[in-house]
Amino acid sequence: MWMKEFSSLLSCRLTLDTISCQNFSDVNNLDFLRDEIEKGLQIITKEMKELPVDEVMECRQKPDDILIEQLCNCCWKQCPFCAAVCTNTIEDHLPDKHSVPFHRPVIGWHRKDTKDLAIDFCTTSVASDRSFYPSRESKKSIPFKQYQTAGGKYASWSITADGSKLQYWKRFVCRFQKEVEDYHEKKFQGEGGIPSEWRKYSKEEALESLNEISSL
Ligand SMILES: [Zn+2]
Ligand SMILES: [Zn+2]
């Protein structure tokens, strides 16, 4: 059982011809098992060391190739509110809605007829009683709770109203407040004032919060 488990963990990287499970089917001496495996691994290590580096590199998929392969065929649609990228790994996955586990603050949106930038995360907005104008030209506002009725890009997204707020984005807003304000020629003020709680996160805590994403 142990040998089977050991080989299965390595099998995607190594072919363990020299260590065969059958050879150990009636082994009851663990020292013998250990010695035999060590012997087998020594042969494999020796063979690998003798391979010319060029040959190894040719067999190996290069990191940039792996990334291109993984990323090119994914969905790259962005949330219409916060621009987070859909994490579906299939390029054309509709009618399954676009989705992402963590949204961002709606950087760039502002309260109509004011210079106040909005600071909400879209996961909070879609649970609120507020409304939004789907585009600059829109005459009619749509309640956030019914955002999909705005049609187009809004209809193709599923945004979970879980109010999740990643510390990373809170720190991002605080750190780049001036740049964002200058770029949009508006201010985080009024209802869009930055909560003091957002300013207390260290860079390390912000980066740590990203682990929540990678552990999903
Ligand atoms: Zn979003
Ligand atoms: Zn998508």
Side-chain angles (χ1 to χ4, degrees):
M1 282 293 289
W2 183 88
M3 188 59 210
K4 237 186 209 165
E5 185 66 24
F6 178 70
S7 341
S8 71
L9 287 174
L10 284 178
S11 62
C12 60
R13 296 165 196 273
L14 278 179
T15 318
L16 295 173
D17 284 343
T18 40
I19 314 175
S20 156
C21 290
Q22 278 93 32
N23 298 348
F24 301 119
S25 52
D26 53 358
V27 166
N28 51 20
N29 179 339
L30 284 180
D31 289 337
F32 171 75
L33 177 68
R34 190 194 59 203
D35 292 347
E36 285 305 305
I37 289 168
E38 272 180 10
K39 257 191 243 164
L41 283 174
Q42 273 164 14
I43 297 169
I44 294 169
T45 320
K46 191 165 171 284
E47 280 173 2
M48 285 179 71
K49 278 186 182 155
E50 282 164 5
L51 280 175
V53 178
D54 303 352
E55 212 170 294
V56 177
M57 293 308 279
E58 251 169 54
C59 301
R60 189 171 165 261
Q61 213 184 355
K62 294 192 196 94
D64 46 343
D65 289 335
I66 299 172
L67 270 179
I68 288 168
E69 196 173 285
Q70 287 186 351
L71 297 177
C72 281
N73 300 320
C74 292
C75 179
W76 278 92
K77 290 281 180 290
Q78 289 181 291
C79 171
F81 296 111
C82 73
V85 176
C86 172
T87 48
N88 199 303
T89 50
I90 301 167
E91 196 174 1
D92 185 11
H93 59 78
L94 297 176
D96 284 345
K97 303 269 188 219
H98 302 295
S99 66
V100 59
F102 289 100
H103 288 258
R104 308 168 182 178
V106 292
I107 294 169
W109 286 67
H110 64 280
R111 309 274 173 231
K112 195 168 171 58
D113 303 326
T114 74
K115 287 213 170 278
D116 302 352
L117 283 169
I119 201 169
D120 321 279
F121 280 66
C122 48
T123 43
T124 313
S125 298
V126 295
S128 72
D129 292 322
R130 295 177 195 278
S131 301
F132 68 99
Y133 291 88
S135 70
R136 252 179 250 278
E137 297 75 39
S138 307
K139 295 271 180 287
K140 191 171 158 277
S141 67
I142 307 278
F144 267 110
K145 279 181 181 158
Q146 295 158 26
Y147 69 92
Q148 290 189 346
T149 60
K153 57 189 178 183
Y154 297 97
S156 61
W157 269 82
S158 168
I159 301 168
T160 312
D162 58 5
S164 58
K165 290 178 182 170
L166 219 52
Q167 288 166 12
Y168 177 85
W169 287 107
K170 291 181 182 176
R171 187 177 153 88
F172 177 92
V173 171
C174 299
R175 171 69 182 77
F176 295 103
Q177 176 179 356
K178 188 169 173 352
E179 285 83 347
V180 174
E181 289 181 338
D182 290 350
Y183 181 82
H184 292 286
E185 297 177 345
K186 294 186 177 58
K187 293 263 179 216
F188 287 110
Q189 60 190 11
E191 286 181 51
I194 300 176
S196 55
E197 176 254 345
W198 287 29
R199 299 196 185 273
K200 70 179 190 200
Y201 298 112
S202 65
K203 186 174 173 183
E204 288 67 34
E205 282 172 313
L207 291 173
E208 183 72 17
S209 74
L210 290 179
N211 290 338
E212 282 183 56
I213 300 179
S214 51
S215 64
L216 280 174

